Amino acid sequence: MPNKLQYACSRPLSLWHRGGGLVLLALGIALGWFFAFPLKSSFDISKIILEAVILAAASITYPFIVRLDRNILIRGWELLLCSLLLGLLEEFTQEPRLWDTIIEGALRILGLTLIALSFYRSQQLSRAQLQKNQATENPDHHPVQYDTLTGLPNHTVLRNRLEQAMGPARQLALLCLDLDRLKEINDSFGHEAGDRELARVAKVLQDCLEPTDTALRIGGDEFAIIQTPALGVDKATLLAQRLLDAIARPHKILGHEIHNSASIGITLFPNDGDKAEQLLKNADIAMYHAKHEGQNNYQLYTPAINARAHPRMALAKELQRAFETDNLYLQFQPQLNLATHRTSGFEALLRWRHPQHGMLARQTFIRLAEETGLIVPIGAWALETACQTCMGWRQLRAGPLRVAVNLSPRQFRQPDLAGSIATILEKTGLAPSALEIEVTEGLLLEDMDSAFNTLQSLSILGVHVSVDDFGTGHASLSYLKNLPFDSIKIDRSFIHGIPADSESRTITKAVIALGHSLNLKVVAEGVETPEQLLYLQKQGCDLVQGYFISKPLDVPEAQRWWEEKGEKASS
């Protein structure tokens, strides 16, 4: 019934013929009444106002009742209106008591009875339709068509159920929901925790849906919801927001506090398409756009989203395929120690040479990996590979070699990050002091308490921590004093302007002085000219890297570089 009322409110008022007839009938009843019975000598104004307000409210509701297109309900409401009109007229005339008890009372009772009967039949029809859909979808409840973990229908019945719903429904909404952090939960707490999270989300869906809606699990961390009938955009978006709020609520699984979120794409039938295949594609595109917009939100399908999403969706699938087939690789850029003029470390840089597009810009596919969640497994692989490579070089040639690895925001927010890194160090045999983790200033602002705990754990482990792209964020300088950092890296945008630009010189000089006053090493990246190198050396910068020193090198070239130009072991 609420769905019908929403639909009634959404349709234009075009029922003047029926409403006009009812008005004429009311006028006829009123005129006949005043001719049949004499007026009272005095009136009770309070009763007249009360009866008039009740009649007005019922009359205003009448056009919406008519739009529900249920004859029993309409007739019942009309009888109720007549009884209310008679009740108002009785306040003006001296009619026999028999009219009160028989005529008005009978009309009111009959009207209310018909209204109640209409509501009852509506509920019965809804239940019958739901049972029919379930029986048609899967009369024998075959296990192969249901997800064993959540008990929800699976992808094998999605298209069939969607096509069934598209038949009788005036409108429906298809919501595609993807969990943003299931991979993190699996990686951090194990697959049992991930399975319990999936079961929890399935229960959330069932609790939020109406009896005529359907929830399905169609992939590892992906669900679909068919909302029938979906009477306009508002109802679909209200459901989406309700789901987002419920899924994002913090909870505990196996003693661990879990924070999860979802990205939801919404498409409407028939507005966005009249074929099941098209609706499924639209919902997937809108869901992907929700991830691109920062996750934990919903997006409605539009043709504009479709045009933008196609290339990125294709690239995301190719990135996953590249990772699974070992087509991603690392390059290493040397870092020169200005005190010894020898290489004391390398920064590991992730690379992807696309078969059609060639070498892709790092920021392009890193952001894509962050949006899709691939950054967690890719980042873990890059970290382990960098540690393994560094360990091999240290065994070839003794020296204070250190490898620096960037952590993305999503990696940094992983629970027990220090424990995961400790496992990698133990596996590769690399000493903690030979690993440097680089984090950006922006990470510090998101959750200071959590950032402090993570950095403190890394410091206790013995891993060096560096603030990357220093000077580009909005972090308070007090963070440098309070957080356990070992070095800061001046952003290349400042290095590019020296020595010609006075502002760049001033900022660079100030950052170097600030770092040294806090007993931090200072690294300059993006050094491309001898003049830049000379200026940094005069200001006491500790380490530099950039194309003037060396471009990023493949593993064999980087190994030769270390063997020939690496810093010597202290005697």
Side-chain angles (χ1 to χ4, degrees), residues 494-544:
F494 301 120
I495 305 302
H496 180 73
I498 61 173
D501 183 66
S502 60
E503 290 185 357
S504 295
R505 291 198 311 270
T506 302
I507 293 173
T508 301
K509 182 178 179 179
V511 171
I512 294 172
L514 173 66
H516 288 164
S517 68
L518 296 172
N519 295 319
L520 301 175
K521 295 287 186 182
V522 181
V523 184
E525 61 179 341
V527 177
E528 298 179 353
T529 68
E531 291 79 13
Q532 292 171 348
L533 178 63
L534 182 61
Y535 180 82
L536 292 167
Q537 191 169 15
K538 286 182 178 180
Q539 298 306 319
C541 186
D542 300 292
L543 299 165
V544 295

Side-chain angles (χ1 to χ4, degrees), residues 101 134 139 289 353 528 551:
T101 56
Q134 291 174 338
H289 185 62
R353 191 181 299 278
E528 298 179 353
K551 66 178 182 179

Side-chain angles (χ1 to χ4, degrees), residues 362-383:
R362 183 173 175 273
Q363 59 269 27
T364 299
F365 69 88
I366 290 295
R367 182 178 179 183
L368 197 61
E370 185 84 16
E371 293 167 4
T372 59
L374 275 173
I375 193 65
V376 174
I378 290 176
W381 167 84
L383 182 61

Side-chain angles (χ1 to χ4, degrees), residues 7 53 59 87 100 119 134 221 324 339 350 418 443 513:
Y7 178 66
V53 169
S59 301
D100 290 342
F119 274 87
Q134 291 174 338
D221 55 3
E324 292 170 350
L350 185 63
L443 282 175

Side-chain angles (χ1 to χ4, degrees), residues 44-57 84 87-88 91:
D44 188 335
I45 299 300
S46 61
K47 287 186 177 181
I48 292 174
I49 293 174
L50 178 62
E51 293 285 349
V53 169
I54 295 174
L55 178 60
L84 293 173
L88 177 62
E91 298 299 326

Side-chain angles (χ1 to χ4, degrees), residues 334-336 343 527 533 544-551 561 565:
Q335 293 179 333
L336 182 68
T343 295
V527 177
L533 178 63
V544 295
Q545 69 181 86
Y547 273 70
F548 181 71
I549 311 302
S550 172
K551 66 178 182 179
W561 182 282
K565 302 180 181 181

Side-chain angles (χ1 to χ4, degrees), residues 326-526:
D326 299 326
N327 285 327
L328 300 180
Y329 65 99
L330 294 181
Q331 286 188 324
F332 295 85
Q333 187 169 38
Q335 293 179 333
L336 182 68
N337 186 329
L338 291 181
T340 63
H341 295 280
R342 306 288 292 184
T343 295
S344 60
F346 291 85
E347 181 180 4
L349 301 169
L350 185 63
R351 295 289 186 255
W352 179 21
R353 191 181 299 278
H354 192 278
Q356 282 80 42
H357 306 301
M359 187 73 76
L360 294 181
R362 183 173 175 273
Q363 59 269 27
T364 299
F365 69 88
I366 290 295
R367 182 178 179 183
L368 197 61
E370 185 84 16
E371 293 167 4
T372 59
L374 275 173
I375 193 65
V376 174
I378 290 176
W381 167 84
L383 182 61
E384 182 175 335
T385 302
C387 290
Q388 195 171 39
T389 303
C390 182
M391 184 61 189
W393 293 346
R394 285 168 69 95
Q395 290 174 336
L396 285 174
R397 181 186 184 281
L401 176 63
R402 180 177 294 146
V403 64
V405 181
N406 287 278
L407 286 190
S408 74
R410 194 160 185 168
Q411 287 176 277
F412 187 77
R413 287 192 295 266
Q414 284 183 263
D416 195 24
L417 174 65
S420 301
I421 292 176
T423 300
I424 291 175
L425 292 172
E426 183 179 1
K427 182 179 178 180
T428 60
L430 187 68
S433 60
L435 174 63
E436 182 171 273
I437 296 299
E438 296 185 358
V439 295
T440 60
E441 282 186 83
L443 282 175
L444 308 178
L445 298 177
E446 295 179 4
D447 186 347
M448 267 298 298
D449 292 336
S450 177
F452 177 81
N453 292 334
T454 299
L455 293 173
Q456 188 69 29
S457 299
L458 292 174
S459 180
I460 293 172
L461 179 62
V463 171
H464 284 240
V465 181
S466 175
V467 184
D468 195 17
D469 300 334
F470 184 79
T472 60
H474 304 282
S476 167
L477 294 179
S478 64
Y479 294 165
L480 290 178
K481 182 182 70 173
N482 297 326
L483 294 176
F485 294 117
D486 298 283
S487 62
I488 54 177
K489 181 178 279 190
I490 308 173
D491 186 68
R492 65 179 65 246
S493 61
F494 301 120
I495 305 302
H496 180 73
I498 61 173
D501 183 66
S502 60
E503 290 185 357
S504 295
R505 291 198 311 270
T506 302
I507 293 173
T508 301
K509 182 178 179 179
V511 171
I512 294 172
L514 173 66
H516 288 164
S517 68
L518 296 172
N519 295 319
L520 301 175
K521 295 287 186 182
V522 181
V523 184
E525 61 179 341

Side-chain angles (χ1 to χ4, degrees), residues 36 83 92 124 131 172 196 206 221 259 280 398 403 417 440 469 541 546-547 557:
S83 72
F92 293 94
Q124 291 294 100
Q131 292 171 358
L172 67 81
R196 293 196 183 191
Q206 292 170 320
D221 55 3
H259 297 269
L280 291 169
V403 64
L417 174 65
T440 60
D469 300 334
C541 186
Y547 273 70
E557 289 79 10

